[in-house]
Amino acid sequence: RHVADFQLSIASLTENNSSDCLAQDLHLQAQKLAERLKCDSIVSEISAGPGTVNFTINRELLAKTVLQQVWKDGSEYGVKSELFSTVPRQKAVVEFSSPNIAKKFHIGHLRSTIVGNFIANLKVALGHEVVRINYLGDWGMQFGLLGVGFQSFGDKEKLKSSPLQHLFEVYVQINKAAEDENIKKLAKDFFRKLEEHDEQTLSIWKQFRDLSIEEYIRIYKRLGVHFDEYSGESFYQEKAQEVLKMLEDKGLLQKTIKGTGIVDLSEKKDLSTVSTVMRSDGTSLYITRQFLIISFRDLAAAIDRMNKHSWDTMIYVTDKSQSYHFQHLFQILKLMGYDWAERCQHVSFGLVQGMKTRRGEVVFLEDVLNEVRSRMLENMTSTKTTKEIQDPVETAEKVGLAALIIQDFRGLLSSDYQFSWDRALQSRGDTGVFLQYTHARLQSLEQMHGNAELTDVNVACLLEPDAISVLQHLLRYDEVLYRSSQDLQPKHIVSYLLTLSHLAAVAHKTLPVKGSAPDVAQARLCLFHAARSVLANGMRLLGITPVTQM
């Protein structure tokens, strides 16, 4: 028995929508209504269910419409839907990834990187203009320590060949001596010179920053991620002072007895909610347990981006521990008279537990990428069905990345999850490996039987239930894109693609192309081409590069 395409609930039509409306009555009303309605060229069947009227769409029309639409719109299929016709095209700034130079590129940065990339991809696909910003932790007292550390333990060759690794090692070493009064004084001096723009000190710092960015770019390339702008805290030294003056001029900055600068965010102005913005010695940004700290630099960065890009929406992608920080940041901007603060958004995500490589804890993003590639290569070489493929290492990387991304995107972004290599890399079940495998299989089907041509397709050959299931699912793609565009959650697209892959796998078994009559084979090829095309579109939005061989 087939499932109806559309269903109308009788209860939603009745005036007295109360429970005393007996199921019997509803069923009777449904039958009466179904008898009065007539089929036409679009609706081929109308029947009554328990309290519902069911409609079935003309199967040939369904097949023809869906295939033509997928074929015509190509990579824009779903995006051109009338669902998006009233959505205004906008300019969005997305700040994501944002690692701290010389510190661990931890797994939270990986999450921020892939989530931010997805949001930017989705916005671009929907016709918005997007500026991707990486806001680096490239300033602060730690650079005083790092400068002193480099003078003691640094190695220029190592800095050139692996800057992230080397600066991290130097930082760890100098941190062991950070309590030593002499080291403290040297670090303070180094940072003071930086703030005073001493040429020699600045050139050391600039080298740390430039070489780190070069290496970041190379690693991001492996992830398929790029940025339009590498910004950082260092850009906002002077502008932070302007913000301080603005806060003072507007009477928003108050001093506590200890001389700490705070901004009162409470509704009754009774200091029940305050945000600390300045230390008693006048420097901004320090962390204490009782206050939330807002850096003048973050305020300055937000204002500067508005002046530079005049955006319609600005999205910050970080872990949920920073929720209060952004709440306060937006509140202070609003108090300063910037109404656009309401168009700022914090997309937060939960924590990943248990991400380890065989060598132990993950320190660098590159460790994760190398690990997933080598594990995937092992799995591929141990599988009997693995064909000889042209570039096994690159394929392993793309499939491994798909595995990481799908495991991360399957649930709500705000939930924490336990990472598991075994679960992520399974080839069966709801994994990124399964998506890649399905895409490669459908691709090889087209290579084996030649490309499908839509012009001469006989849609009467696509009436089997398994073909209809795929077509019905393809028809819903725009709804899924719309949901993700509303709440910026990738999980809707992920579950859609996994279902599409399962339906395509069943159809691949029950609807063979090989050995079928020519018009049947041609129609089926067209169906599989459409499924592969939509699968590839969805994967690219998520930041996955589809593979053609596996």
Side-chain angles (χ1 to χ4, degrees), residues 313-382:
T313 172
M314 177 153 65
I315 298 166
Y316 296 87
V317 185
T318 72
D319 72 72
K320 59 187 178 186
S321 71
Q322 296 191 41
S323 293
Y324 281 123
H325 172 86
F326 286 104
Q327 230 171 307
H328 284 206
L329 180 69
F330 304 156
Q331 274 177 295
I332 294 176
L333 286 165
K334 192 109 182 14
L335 284 175
M336 290 172 77
Y338 295 115
D339 289 341
W340 47 255
E342 290 173 357
R343 304 200 305 265
C344 292
Q345 189 182 356
H346 177 219
V347 173
S348 62
F349 51 81
L351 305 173
V352 185
Q353 280 118 2
M355 167 82 83
K356 285 191 166 57
T357 66
R358 285 168 185 163
R359 295 215 310 263
E361 198 215 350
V362 171
V363 177
F364 297 105
L365 172 58
E366 191 137 39
D367 299 338
V368 181
L369 297 181
N370 294 341
E371 181 86 5
V372 72
R373 185 173 65 188
S374 70
R375 283 179 187 251
M376 203 56 236
L377 259 177
E378 274 171 35
N379 290 6
M380 278 160 56
T381 43
S382 66

Side-chain angles (χ1 to χ4, degrees), residues 104-115 318-321 348-357 361-362 365 368 403-421 423-424:
K104 283 196 275 193
F105 191 115
H106 58 73
I107 207 63
H109 292 122
L110 172 63
R111 259 201 122 170
S112 173
T113 307
I114 58 178
V115 172
T318 72
D319 72 72
K320 59 187 178 186
S321 71
S348 62
F349 51 81
L351 305 173
V352 185
Q353 280 118 2
M355 167 82 83
K356 285 191 166 57
T357 66
E361 198 215 350
V362 171
L365 172 58
V368 181
L404 283 182
I405 289 173
I406 295 299
Q407 170 144 297
D408 198 285
F409 285 178
R410 276 187 60 193
L412 264 175
L413 292 178
S414 56
S415 30
D416 304 339
Y417 74 92
Q418 193 66 36
F419 182 84
S420 150
W421 286 108
R423 200 173 61 234

Side-chain angles (χ1 to χ4, degrees), residues 129 131 164 176 202 220 243 305 313 319 421 424 436 529 543:
E129 190 186 338
V131 181
L164 300 181
K176 290 175 188 160
L202 261 182
Y220 286 134
V243 168
R305 286 173 197 168
T313 172
D319 72 72
W421 286 108
Q436 288 283 32
H529 169 82

Side-chain angles (χ1 to χ4, degrees), residues 124-387:
V124 168
L126 297 174
H128 303 295
E129 190 186 338
V130 175
V131 181
R132 302 163 188 247
I133 295 182
N134 197 339
Y135 186 63
L136 299 173
D138 64 356
W139 200 253
M141 237 356 253
Q142 79 260 30
F143 282 91
L145 266 179
L146 191 61
V148 174
F150 194 74
Q151 285 161 351
S152 320
F153 317 112
D155 177 324
K156 284 189 174 151
E157 287 312 304
K158 280 186 182 167
L159 180 66
K160 281 211 171 84
S161 60
S162 52
L164 300 181
Q165 175 86 29
H166 185 54
L167 288 176
F168 177 67
E169 284 163 2
V170 168
Y171 191 63
V172 168
Q173 258 183 302
I174 192 71
N175 247 325
K176 290 175 188 160
E179 287 312 301
D180 179 310
E181 285 307 317
N182 190 30
I183 297 285
K184 262 187 191 168
K185 186 183 168 308
L186 287 171
K188 242 183 176 162
D189 288 347
F190 189 93
F191 188 56
R192 198 195 66 250
K193 281 185 187 166
L194 255 189
E195 294 203 290
E196 289 166 0
H197 297 267
D198 170 70
E199 265 184 41
Q200 197 190 350
T201 319
L202 261 182
S203 83
I204 296 173
W205 168 83
K206 196 172 172 335
Q207 205 181 5
F208 292 167
R209 189 181 191 276
D210 293 349
L211 290 169
S212 294
I213 288 177
E214 262 176 47
E215 192 167 1
Y216 282 139
I217 290 172
R218 185 180 59 75
I219 298 167
Y220 286 134
K221 202 171 173 183
R222 283 180 69 178
L223 274 171
V225 172
H226 72 277
F227 290 91
D228 301 305
E229 209 176 284
Y230 280 85
S231 171
E233 296 179 8
S234 61
F235 281 54
Y236 297 105
Q237 287 319 99
E238 278 75 34
K239 290 196 170 94
Q241 294 308 309
E242 292 166 27
V243 168
L244 168 63
K245 195 171 168 348
M246 282 166 80
L247 286 171
E248 282 177 340
D249 292 349
K250 287 184 187 287
L252 293 169
L253 192 69
Q254 302 181 26
K255 290 279 177 80
T256 62
I257 303 160
K258 291 179 182 165
T260 307
I262 59 170
V263 176
D264 186 1
L265 298 176
S266 60
E267 280 182 24
K268 294 180 185 163
K269 295 295 167 217
D270 58 2
L271 295 179
S272 55
T273 317
V274 299
S275 183
T276 305
V277 291
M278 193 170 75
R279 247 194 316 213
S280 52
D281 65 4
T283 52
S284 71
L285 188 73
Y286 76 122
I287 299 294
T288 66
R289 298 207 178 278
Q290 55 277 43
F291 289 127
L292 181 92
I293 312 302
I294 296 290
S295 153
F296 295 141
R297 291 193 286 263
D298 291 350
L299 292 164
I303 297 164
D304 179 56
R305 286 173 197 168
M306 188 52 168
N307 294 339
K308 193 170 163 188
H309 299 295
S310 25
W311 43 262
D312 298 294
T313 172
M314 177 153 65
I315 298 166
Y316 296 87
V317 185
T318 72
D319 72 72
K320 59 187 178 186
S321 71
Q322 296 191 41
S323 293
Y324 281 123
H325 172 86
F326 286 104
Q327 230 171 307
H328 284 206
L329 180 69
F330 304 156
Q331 274 177 295
I332 294 176
L333 286 165
K334 192 109 182 14
L335 284 175
M336 290 172 77
Y338 295 115
D339 289 341
W340 47 255
E342 290 173 357
R343 304 200 305 265
C344 292
Q345 189 182 356
H346 177 219
V347 173
S348 62
F349 51 81
L351 305 173
V352 185
Q353 280 118 2
M355 167 82 83
K356 285 191 166 57
T357 66
R358 285 168 185 163
R359 295 215 310 263
E361 198 215 350
V362 171
V363 177
F364 297 105
L365 172 58
E366 191 137 39
D367 299 338
V368 181
L369 297 181
N370 294 341
E371 181 86 5
V372 72
R373 185 173 65 188
S374 70
R375 283 179 187 251
M376 203 56 236
L377 259 177
E378 274 171 35
N379 290 6
M380 278 160 56
T381 43
S382 66
T383 310
K384 294 196 170 55
T385 54
T386 301
K387 292 200 203 97

Side-chain angles (χ1 to χ4, degrees), residues 418-434:
Q418 193 66 36
F419 182 84
S420 150
W421 286 108
D422 293 339
R423 200 173 61 234
L425 297 175
Q426 278 171 356
S427 55
R428 296 269 175 267
D430 291 342
T431 65
V433 182
F434 174 59

Side-chain angles (χ1 to χ4, degrees), residues 459-513:
V459 285
C461 301
L462 290 176
L463 303 181
E464 296 89 349
D466 291 338
I468 297 298
S469 296
V470 172
L471 290 162
Q472 283 173 325
H473 196 62
L474 291 175
L475 193 57
R476 295 191 190 108
Y477 184 55
D478 61 343
E479 294 169 27
V480 176
L481 290 183
Y482 186 74
R483 281 186 73 184
S484 279
S485 76
Q486 292 303 99
D487 63 7
L488 302 182
Q489 295 284 338
K491 70 181 185 116
H492 313 303
I493 296 174
V494 169
S495 86
Y496 174 89
L497 296 179
L498 289 166
T499 304
L500 176 60
S501 295
H502 286 296
L503 293 172
V506 171
H508 188 270
K509 264 201 193 99
T510 60
L511 308 173
V513 174

